[in-house]
Amino acid sequence: MRKQILIVGAGFAGMWAALSAARLADKHQQAIDITVIAPQPELRVRPRFYESAVHTLVAPLQPLFDVTGVNFLQGHVEQILPDSKEVSWKDANGDIHLRRYDRLVLASGSHVNRDAVTGAAEHAFDLDQLESAAVLEQHINDLALQPESEARNTVVVCGGGFTGIEMALELPGRLREILGADAKTRVVVVERGAQPGGRWSEELRDVIIEASAELGVEWLVNAEVECVDASGVTLKDGQVISSQTVIWTVGVQANSLTAQINAPRDRQGRLHVNANLQVVGHDDIYATGDVAYAATDDKGNHALMTCQHAILLGKFAGNNAAADLLNITPLPYRQENYVTCLDLGAWGAVYSEGWDQQVKLTRAEAKKLKVSIVSELIYPPKADRAVAFEIADPLALVEIGRASCRERV
């Protein structure tokens, strides 16, 4: 019977895991069935969901899977059964099936948890999935149909991480386009830290503060949300912000399937993995992307829940799952070169290198790089077998800005 690699998820990590596994099997001329289970055969470009025209931010995967010999099953995995090496999955018609595997690659991604704060699930918007980001976009576009008011003109972004910053600094320009140049709009970021960008380097933080000030984005620091309702946000210090648009960007958690595997997890639900990305205690299960708590180097750094890490994690996971079945030495995951490229709306962007985030480019120069990354580099390769396999090599070098790294972005 042919060996089976089953990949759960078709995001950045899942897609690249499939291509990397297919590449290694092809290289060694060995027949392995590689199957992806996901809700749809498309890559949803989540890092761009703060932009407008969200419905266009998808890339089809079926032609790419067809030319590389990857099978696709449309559905949702409901249960992982490690003892019998099976998963239970539901197809588009609601029927339940069992699927056997020899090696499982869990690449089921993450989601924003809005349940920790009263009213957030009912009254806040998010950028978590294509559907919810499209709902937010439509809501913002429809603000022009609402009567003029402080609440209509005020947007509150809960959380000052990268997603919150990119959304917040995009908003002043978008609100002017929708409500008119003379509208008195207000964008407020609620951040529990002591200063904007406080978790990053001073260099990067200073750029974020400068861009926010120039665009008129306010920061409320040392602030936490008590509750959200239809009229806006109440903070724990009692302050009330009237707003028809509250955007939730905090509380990201790994997909709940990780809880079905008896293995250590971090506070975000990510499974601890070894250097080959095998789940601790489960040599036949690999975790990758947002569900993997993986060391990037020997200096104490771990992969972040970003596409930058998901892409390379996927390549290593797929390669190593196939290598295990082929009795080939695996490739220990390493991603020592870390870069950030943060969109700062009409101000421009900022690009930094290293875990200490040394700023290398700002404003228009960084914006040009950011556009190149999110509109070209993170997209799937064209449906060409040779090209796809070349890029799927975990050790392939690529140039990003001024940094040469073993990663596509």
Side-chain angles (χ1 to χ4, degrees), residues 62-132:
Q62 194 64 63
L64 182 60
F65 288 160
D66 288 344
V67 300
T68 54
V70 173
N71 306 309
F72 179 78
L73 295 176
Q74 187 166 4
H76 297 264
V77 171
E78 302 275 296
Q79 191 174 8
I80 298 173
L81 306 166
D83 291 342
S84 60
K85 290 191 175 184
E86 294 175 308
V87 302
S88 170
W89 68 283
K90 181 185 293 185
D91 66 22
N93 296 319
D95 296 327
I96 301 295
H97 309 267
L98 287 177
R99 184 79 179 193
R100 184 185 68 83
Y101 64 82
D102 294 292
R103 298 295 179 270
L104 178 68
V105 179
L106 188 61
S108 49
S110 61
H111 65 278
V112 170
N113 179 15
R114 294 182 293 169
D115 294 332
V117 171
T118 301
E122 295 82 9
H123 300 290
F125 298 91
D126 66 61
L127 307 169
D128 195 39
Q129 303 297 326
L130 183 70
E131 293 81 4
S132 60

Side-chain angles (χ1 to χ4, degrees), residues 134-369:
V135 168
L136 170 60
E137 181 182 12
Q138 188 62 55
H139 168 81
I140 292 174
N141 290 340
D142 288 345
L143 289 175
L145 305 176
Q146 301 298 320
E148 171 83 24
S149 70
E150 179 184 348
R152 185 201 72 165
N153 291 0
T154 300
V155 179
V156 179
V157 177
C158 300
F162 283 160
T163 300
I165 290 170
E166 291 192 317
M167 182 74 257
L169 273 68
E170 168 85 359
L171 282 167
R174 192 187 297 187
L175 291 173
R176 281 194 300 272
E177 291 177 1
I178 294 167
L179 301 178
D182 297 329
K184 295 181 180 179
T185 60
R186 184 185 181 201
V187 177
V188 182
V189 181
V190 177
E191 166 58 35
R192 68 186 303 175
Q195 53 190 322
R199 71 202 76 176
W200 304 306
S201 71
E202 184 177 357
E203 266 194 298
L204 185 57
R205 182 167 64 247
D206 287 346
V207 172
I208 293 167
I209 292 171
E210 178 184 349
S212 298
E214 189 167 310
L215 295 175
V217 173
E218 302 174 38
W219 284 75
L220 293 180
V221 297
N222 292 317
E224 294 186 57
V225 176
E226 177 69 27
C227 64
V228 183
D229 59 29
S231 63
V233 169
T234 300
L235 304 183
K236 289 191 175 181
D237 65 3
Q239 182 178 174
V240 176
I241 307 173
S242 296
S243 174
Q244 293 182 13
T245 311
V246 178
I247 304 174
W248 201 261
T249 70
V250 294
V252 178
Q253 292 288 310
N255 182 273
S256 60
L257 287 173
T258 61
Q260 297 184 16
I261 299 172
N262 184 19
R265 295 183 294 148
D266 76 345
R267 60 184 180 83
Q268 292 180 290
R270 297 182 298 174
L271 291 158
H272 286 237
V273 294
N274 63 19
N276 297 330
L277 304 183
Q278 293 163 300
V279 174
V280 173
H282 298 269
D283 290 348
D284 53 354
I285 301 177
Y286 295 74
T288 188
D290 286 359
V291 300
Y293 181 68
T296 62
D297 52 36
D298 296 323
K299 301 174 184 177
N301 297 308
H302 287 78
L304 303 177
M305 297 168 94
T306 66
C307 76
Q308 175 181 176
H309 287 112
I311 289 170
L312 198 59
L313 280 165
K315 293 180 184 182
F316 274 94
N319 179 89
N320 290 344
D324 201 18
L325 294 178
L326 298 171
N327 294 317
I328 296 169
T329 303
L331 298 173
Y333 166 68
R334 282 294 181 270
Q335 196 163 2
E336 298 185 7
N337 294 316
Y338 172 62
V339 304
T340 61
C341 198
L342 189 61
D343 194 344
L344 300 176
W347 187 90
V350 58
Y351 167 76
S352 69
E353 294 177 0
W355 287 97
D356 56 351
Q357 294 166 327
Q358 300 175 37
V359 173
K360 302 297 183 181
L361 302 173
T362 61
R363 291 193 180 264
E365 196 175 5
K367 189 81 161 189
K368 182 179 179 181
L369 177 59

